[in-house]
Amino acid sequence: MGTRRGVDWEEGPLLMLFTVTGCNININLHGFMAGTSRHDREMAVNAKKHLSVCTDPVESLRLQCLARGSSGIKGLGRTFKIMDDDNNRTLDMKEFMKGLNDYGVLIEKEEAMAMFQRFDRDNSGFIDFDEFLLTLRPPMSNARKEVIMQAFRKLDKTNDGVITIEDLRGVYNVKYHPKYQNGEWTEEQVFRKFLDSFDSPYDKDGQVTKEEFLNYYCGVSASIDSDVYFILMMKNAWKL
């Protein structure tokens, strides 16, 4: 454990230490920023407990995602995105079934088909997976959504709806990060590690969209009952 200008840090791959406009910020990828390990464990336990008595296919899928922790719903979204070869943001039945299978979702074929038909409102044989993921997100109050978007806007320096390494360079200085100081990581590696925390483990592209940011934090939100605590956590983590 060490201290820089009154801010404690500990060496380890999960700690991100930045300087913002002259002030040091600790951003712990497994703590405030990513939802604490304790919150993730509690959420996984609760999701699995409710899953055992759940009969609704959509709720069952939501709980299976939440049982994977904060990034569960975001990861499913990534899986669907990979399958969307023509980038029209729709899926047919075959793609939908394969996406669920690839992500390891345990669901009967008949239930998956019923779920697909539930979202295929115009009987076109396709579903809009943005709308599907929006429905899958656990409900969040407007106050939570607004503080999440405040954090996103702070990071999205170029205001193009995507957070990149270049955006982070305009906001953060990594010179107090221990792995940067000891030469183990370059500035770009520190920033990439930061962005990767929002990405699916199997598709890290170094960019974070607004939808990915919301999907990520809806997982964190599901583990925190109190609006006041969630908003305080976000404001402290991002210095809003």
Side-chain angles (χ1 to χ4, degrees):
M1 178 73 74
T3 303
R4 292 283 179 181
R5 297 184 185 176
V7 176
D8 291 332
W9 52 265
E10 59 184 19
E11 186 109 24
L14 296 177
L15 187 72
M16 310 303 286
L17 179 62
F18 297 100
T19 300
V20 182
T21 59
C23 302
N24 286 344
I25 292 182
N26 265 329
I27 298 179
N28 189 322
L29 294 183
H30 215 57
F32 278 129
M33 188 194 70
T36 63
S37 297
R38 177 174 57 82
H39 284 135
D40 266 14
R41 286 195 299 270
E42 288 175 357
M43 179 166 57
V45 169
N46 287 335
K48 288 172 183 174
K49 183 169 66 176
H50 287 98
L51 190 58
S52 64
V53 294
C54 180
T55 56
D56 180 72
V58 175
E59 181 64 15
S60 174
L61 179 56
R62 177 187 291 131
L63 290 170
Q64 286 193 58
C65 289
L66 294 178
R68 299 179 182 220
S70 303
S71 60
I73 291 174
K74 174 182 62 65
L76 180 60
R78 276 295 203 171
T79 301
F80 284 155
K81 184 178 178 182
I82 292 168
M83 302 197 62
D84 183 24
D85 293 331
D86 55 6
N87 203 32
N88 65 359
R89 306 195 74 76
T90 63
L91 298 169
D92 61 22
M93 175 75 81
K94 183 178 178 182
E95 291 170 328
F96 181 71
M97 300 285 282
K98 187 175 188 310
L100 294 178
N101 183 67
D102 288 354
Y103 198 57
V105 173
L106 300 175
I107 188 170
E108 295 293 334
K109 183 177 180 180
E110 293 74 19
E111 287 185 336
M113 291 174 68
M115 195 189 317
F116 182 92
Q117 288 161 2
R118 187 163 151 184
F119 283 91
D120 181 17
R121 295 186 176 91
D122 58 359
N123 294 314
S124 65
F126 294 90
I127 61 171
D128 180 320
F129 70 73
D130 287 322
E131 185 179 339
F132 176 75
L133 290 172
L134 191 62
T135 303
L136 203 58
R137 289 176 187 161
M140 278 195 297
S141 67
N142 287 333
R144 294 194 188 205
K145 291 176 185 175
E146 175 54 29
V147 77
I148 291 169
M149 292 317 300
Q150 283 178 25
F152 184 87
R153 288 192 291 269
K154 179 172 183 176
L155 291 170
D156 182 19
K157 200 71 174 174
T158 54
N159 296 315
D160 62 356
V162 180
I163 302 169
T164 64
I165 286 175
E166 288 308 312
D167 285 315
L168 296 181
R169 284 198 177 103
V171 181
Y172 293 115
N173 184 324
V174 305
K175 65 181 179 179
Y176 293 114
H177 189 286
K179 286 190 176 293
Y180 178 79
Q181 288 184 327
N182 68 18
E184 187 174 341
W185 287 354
T186 63
E187 179 188 61
E188 184 154 336
Q189 286 174 313
V190 174
F191 286 141
R192 185 58 190 264
K193 184 73 175 178
F194 176 82
L195 292 174
D196 283 353
S197 67
F198 293 97
D199 262 346
S200 166
Y202 309 109
D203 184 32
K204 298 181 186 297
D205 61 3
Q207 298 184 351
V208 178
T209 66
K210 191 180 300 182
E211 290 75 20
E212 287 170 342
F213 201 75
L214 273 168
N215 282 337
Y216 181 85
Y217 270 111
C218 80
V220 177
S221 173
S223 70
I224 299 172
D225 292 331
S226 165
D227 273 8
V228 172
Y229 179 77
F230 180 83
I231 291 167
L232 180 64
M233 178 202 77
M234 291 294 292
K235 286 182 178 292
N236 285 340
W238 298 108
K239 299 295 186 243
L240 300 174

